[in-house]
Amino acid sequence: MESVIVAIDGPSGTGKSSTSKAVAAKLGLSYLDTGAQYRAITWWMITNGVDVDDADAVASAAGKPAIVSGTDPSHPTITVDGVDASGPIRTQEVTSKVSAVSAVPEVRALITDLQRSIAASAEQGIVVEGRDIGTTVLPDADLKIFLTASPEARAARRSGELKGTDVHTTREALIKRDAADSSRKTSPLAKADDAVEVDTTDLTLQQVIECVVTLIEEKRAAK
């Protein structure tokens, strides 16, 4: 099969991670969750006492942590300085601070370079998910997909993942995160001009997976 690089972007709660992992596994591709990398560096900042609201302090410390991402879609891993960070990076504290850290240009430059090197070394191809993959990280990706969904659908999904959270509170948090990610000066959340938009509001996860698999297979056939 032809090697293929797939960029899947979109805001939180659209099904990016579940879709990307399943598609990569189904097609024998590597998988990279770029959001986990930004969460990892945010977690490192918090645990090392760096004020995440001080952009200069974050920039100065950005190069210190060693972040390693495993790309097996059936068991994606992430370590920071050799420590498994897959659990700690999903806390509410990290979630509330990751936008501030990821808006710092020095952080984005470092993580972007890391992402590009991972994609370049994926021999069979890779599915890379995030917010600026098609626009900034991999502008020459073979296929770009932008997932969307209504705020209500996204909040319901995220609340289902985070047991016990209020849907209304989750919706407000998602809208706030969207605003922060879309308005940052460096690599904002945006749909690439040549991306295929898929609205997942009324689709099941399986339907979204099938849609993306079909798009990739069509792209492979055309290469």
Side-chain angles (χ1 to χ4, degrees), residues 40 56 59 66-67 83 127 159 183 191:
D56 290 335
I67 298 171
V83 177
V127 178
S159 294
S183 62
K191 175 188 170 186

Side-chain angles (χ1 to χ4, degrees), residues 5 13-14 19 26 40 43 45 47 56 63 76 82 84 90 92 96 101 114 162 215:
I5 293 179
T14 53
T19 299
K26 190 177 180 74
W43 174 66
M45 296 283 175
T47 55
D56 290 335
D84 178 12
R90 301 296 172 184
Q92 184 55 44
S96 67
V101 173
L114 176 60
L162 308 172
L215 289 169

